[in-house]
Amino acid sequence: SQTIHQWPATLVQPVGSPLSLECTVEGTSNPNLYWYRQAAGRGLQLLFYSVGIGQISSEVPQNLSASRPQDRQFILSSKKLLLSDSGFYLCAWGQGPGANVLTFGAGSRLTVL
Amino acid sequence: EDQVTQSPEALRLQEGESSSLNCSYTVSGLRGLFWYRQDPGKGPEFLFTLYSAGEEKEKERLKATLTKKESFLHITAPKPEDSATYLCAPLNDYKLSFGAGTTVTVRA
C-alpha cells in the first residue's frame, strides 16, 4: 500500500532563517507530487507541483522553492523565512494525468517568529 | 480565474439534525469535483469524486451531489464523529482549487 511521510511535524523558526520540509512517498512510482499551504480560515493554496524528477512548476511567486531530487522525494525550501510564511504545509501525491485523487501527508506546522 | 466558495463557514448541529453544505464554483474546463474531510491538525482525507452534473455519491451518512455550478454535501442524522472541516475542490486539468471549507460541529 502507498504511504506518504512528511516531516518535521512542527517547527518554530526565526525570521530570516532557512527552511527545509521533506516529503517522501512509498509504494508507488512516478507520482505527481504537490505542496500546499493552508492559512487559518483559508483554502489550501497550491504552491508547487511536480510530474517527475527535476520538474517543478510554481503556482505563485513567493519566498519558497521546491525540488524533487528523487522520484518519490519532494522538498520545500526557503533561504530566508518571512513572517508571512507561517502556516500549515501539506504534501500530497496523485497518480496519472491531472490531479486525480490526492493523498495528503499529515502536514507540517510552521511558525515564523 | 477559478473561484470556489463554500457556505456556511461554520455549522453547529445537534446529533441527528440533518443539514447540507454548499460548494459553488467557477472553473473553466471542469474535470471533476472532489470532497475531502479534514480533522484539526491533520491532512485532508478523500471522500468523493463527482464527474458530471446529476451524479451522486454516498458514504455512510454523507451524500454528495453535483450540478453545473454547485455541489452539495448532505449530512443525514449526523453523529459527533462527523465533526470536521469539509473541503470541496473542483479539478481543472492538472490542479485542484480548494475552498476554505465548512467546519461542522455535531453536539451529542
Side-chain angles (χ1 to χ4, degrees):
Chain A
S1 63
Q2 300 91 358
T3 56
I4 179 169
H5 302 280
Q6 193 178 335
W7 71 94
T10 306
L11 67 166
V12 179
Q13 296 284 100
V15 169
S17 64
L19 171 73
S20 180
L21 301 179
E22 292 198 33
C23 172
T24 59
V25 180
E26 296 177 356
T28 187
S29 59
N30 196 30
N32 297 330
L33 295 173
Y34 304 82
W35 278 111
Y36 284 86
R37 177 170 59 201
Q38 187 174 36
R42 301 184 65 179
L44 276 70
Q45 179 188 31
L46 180 62
L47 302 176
F48 302 95
Y49 71 95
S50 171
V51 298
I53 296 174
Q55 301 178 58
I56 308 295
S57 295
S58 174
E59 284 295 302
V60 292
Q62 58 208 329
N63 187 41
L64 303 169
S65 62
S67 62
R68 185 171 177 173
Q70 300 180 43
D71 181 46
R72 287 167 289 180
Q73 184 183 26
F74 206 23
I75 298 172
L76 183 69
S77 303
S78 174
K79 292 183 179 179
K80 289 185 178 182
L81 284 169
L82 306 172
L83 287 174
S84 57
D85 292 323
S86 295
F88 191 49
Y89 289 83
L90 289 155
C91 179
W93 76 273
Q95 200 75 59
N100 209 332
V101 175
L102 294 187
T103 300
F104 286 84
S108 297
R109 174 76 60 189
L110 170 66
T111 303
V112 182
L113 300 176
Chain B
E1 182 178 327
D2 298 342
Q3 290 192 338
V4 186
T5 304
Q6 289 190 248
S7 60
E9 292 184 9
L11 189 60
R12 295 177 64 86
L13 301 172
Q14 200 67 34
E15 183 173 5
E17 178 188 2
S18 301
S19 188
S20 295
L21 285 56
N22 176 263
C23 170
S24 62
Y25 58 88
T26 305
V27 172
S28 58
L30 181 75
R31 291 194 171 196
L33 189 292
F34 291 69
W35 280 98
Y36 283 81
R37 169 192 169 124
Q38 186 175 23
D39 293 311
K42 297 187 177 181
E45 289 185 19
F46 170 73
L47 290 174
F48 305 108
T49 309
L50 302 165
Y51 291 105
S52 57
E55 187 176 358
E56 297 184 352
K57 293 275 180 72
E58 287 190 62
K59 181 179 182 179
E60 296 182 356
R61 294 173 293 282
L62 302 176
K63 183 171 78 172
T65 61
L66 182 66
T67 71
K68 288 187 177 180
K69 295 294 183 184
E70 296 178 297
S71 180
F72 294 90
L73 183 66
H74 308 279
I75 309 178
T76 302
K79 298 182 177 181
E81 53 261 42
D82 295 322
S83 297
T85 296
Y86 292 87
L87 305 170
C88 75
L91 173 62
N92 169 14
D93 286 333
Y94 62 88
K95 72 172 186 178
L96 294 174
S97 299
F98 282 86
T102 295
T103 300
V104 175
T105 304
V106 183
R107 296 166 290 176

